[in-house]
C-alpha cells in the first residue's frame, strides 16, 4: 500500500478517503491539506487500495489529442535540431523561439494542459539557500513542460521527466537526442558551442561522445587533429555533480572548454572547486565573473608548462552566441549543423 509521501511525490497531491455517507476520494495539494487540517501531510500513513489508486491515476492521465500529440512531435523535432511549426522555426537559428510561435496553428486551450504554472513559490528560497549543503527543496508538482530562461529569453517548453518518458517510449514520436536527463538549457548550450566551434574556430565537432570511460558533451577536433573536450554546466544545487565534472576533465587529460548558462553559475562552480582544494586560476571570485578576463587567465594557465590546468577556455551561452553571430553563418548552415 502506498504511503502519503510516495503519493505526494508521484501525484503532487494527498488522497483523502471518506466512507460515509458513501465512499469517496478527494485529492488535496499539500497547501490545501495543511489549510484544511492544520498540519502538513505526511504525519499519518493514509492509504488507498490499488483499485482506487488506479482509478485516480486514470483520471489524471493526459488525453493525447491530435493537437497535443502534434505539439510533442514538434518539441522532439525542435530538440533534435529540426525546423518545426508553421514558420519552420529552429532552436538555434531562431535563438530559442517562443512556444506560442512553435504551436501557432494548434489549439491553445488544449495545450494549456502541457504548460507550466506561471510561478514557482519555492524559487525565492532556492535563490537564497540553494548553495547550502542542508537545503533540499521539495520537487515541483508534476507537469509536462517547464519554463526556463536561456540567454535572457523565456522558453516555456523545457521538458520534465514524464514528458521525456512519453516522447521516448512512443513509436510515433522521435527519440530525444542527447543525455538521458539533460534539460533544454543544457541542450541549447551543447548546440551553441557546437556552432561556435564549427563556424568561429573551424573545428570538426562531435556531440555526446563516449571516451575514456566517460561521455563528453562535445569532442572538438582542430585542423591538426588535436582534440578538445567541451562540457556544458547549468545552475543546480548538487555540488557533487560539479565536482564529478572536474574529475572527468582531469581523468581525460585533454584540453577543455566549459560553457555555462550564466556568469553566476560559473562563479559558483569555480569558487566551489577552490574550496575543495582545486587551484582555480583567479579564484576565489568575489564579484560577477568577468568572462573576458577569465578566458585570458585560463588560457594562460592551460599553456603554462608548470601547471596542470586543463581548461583553456570558458564561455557563457550569451558570449558563445555573440561569437556565432560574429562568424555570420548562413541560416542554412545553422540548420544543417549536426549536434
Amino acid at each position: 500500500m502506498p504511503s502519503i509521501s510516495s503519493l505526494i511525490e508521484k501525484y503532487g497531491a494527498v488522497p483523502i478517503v471518506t466512507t460515509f455517507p458513501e465512499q469517496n476520494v478527494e485529492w488535496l495539494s499539500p497547501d490545501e491539506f495543511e489549510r484544511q487540517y492544520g498540519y502538513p501531510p505526511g504525519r499519518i500513513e493514509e492509504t488507498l487500495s490499488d483499485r482506487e489508486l488506479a482509478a485516480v491515476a486514470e483520471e489524471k492521465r493526459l488525453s493525447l489529442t491530435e493537437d497535443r500529440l502534434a505539439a510533442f512531435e514538434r518539441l522532439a523535432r525542435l530538440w533534435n535540431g529540426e525546423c518545426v511549426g508553421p514558420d519552420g522555426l529552429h532552436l538555434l537559428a531562431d535563438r530559442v523561439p517562443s512556444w506560442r510561435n512553435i504551436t501557432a496553428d494548434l489549439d491553445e486551450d488544449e495545450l494549456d494542459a502541457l504548460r507550466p504554472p506561471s510561478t514557482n513559490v519555492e524559487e525565492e528560497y532556492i535563490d537564497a539557500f540553494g548553495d547550502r549543503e542542508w537545503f533540499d527543496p521539495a520537487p515541483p508538482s508534476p507537469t509536462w513542460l517547464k519554463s526556463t530562461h536561456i540567454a535572457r529569453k523565456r522558453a516555456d517548453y523545457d521538458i520534465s521527466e514524464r514528458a521525456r518518458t512519453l516522447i521516448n517510449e512512443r513509436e510515433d514520436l522521435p527519440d530525444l537526442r542527447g543525455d538521458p536527463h539533460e534539460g533544454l538549457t543544457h541542450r541549447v548550450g551543447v548546440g551553441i558551442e557546437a556552432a561556435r566551434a564549427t563556424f568561429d574556430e573551424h573545428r570538426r565537432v562531435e556531440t555526446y561522445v563516449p571516451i575514456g570511460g566517460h561521455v563528453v558533451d562535445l569532442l572538438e577536433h582542430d585542423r591538426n587533429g588535436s582534440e578538445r573536450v567541451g562540457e556544458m554546466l547549468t545552475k543546480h544545487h548538487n555540488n557533487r555533480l560539479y565536482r564529478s565534472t572536474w574529475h572527468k576533465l582531469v581523468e581525460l587529460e585533454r584540453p577543455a572548454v566549459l560553457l555555462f548558462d550564466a556568469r553566476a553559475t560559473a562563479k559558483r562552480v569555480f569558487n566551489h572547486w577552490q574550496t575543495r582544494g582545486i587551484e582555480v586560476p583567479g579564484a576565489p571570485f568575489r564579484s560577477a565573473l568577468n568572462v573576458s578576463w577569465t578566458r585570458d587567465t585560463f588560457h594562460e594557465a592551460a599553456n603554462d608548462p608548470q601547471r596542470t590546468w586543463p581548461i583553456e577556455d570558458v564561455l557563457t551561452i550569451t558570449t558563445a552566441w555573440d561569437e556565432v553571430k560574429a562568424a555570420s553563418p548562413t541560416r542554412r548552415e545553422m540548420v544543417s549543423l549536426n549536434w
Side-chain angles (χ1 to χ4, degrees), residues 120-135:
N120 181 354
V121 296
E122 290 189 352
E123 190 65 30
E124 59 182 300
Y125 299 106
I126 293 176
D127 289 340
F129 306 114
D131 59 349
R132 310 293 177 87
E133 293 288 346
W134 49 263
F135 184 68

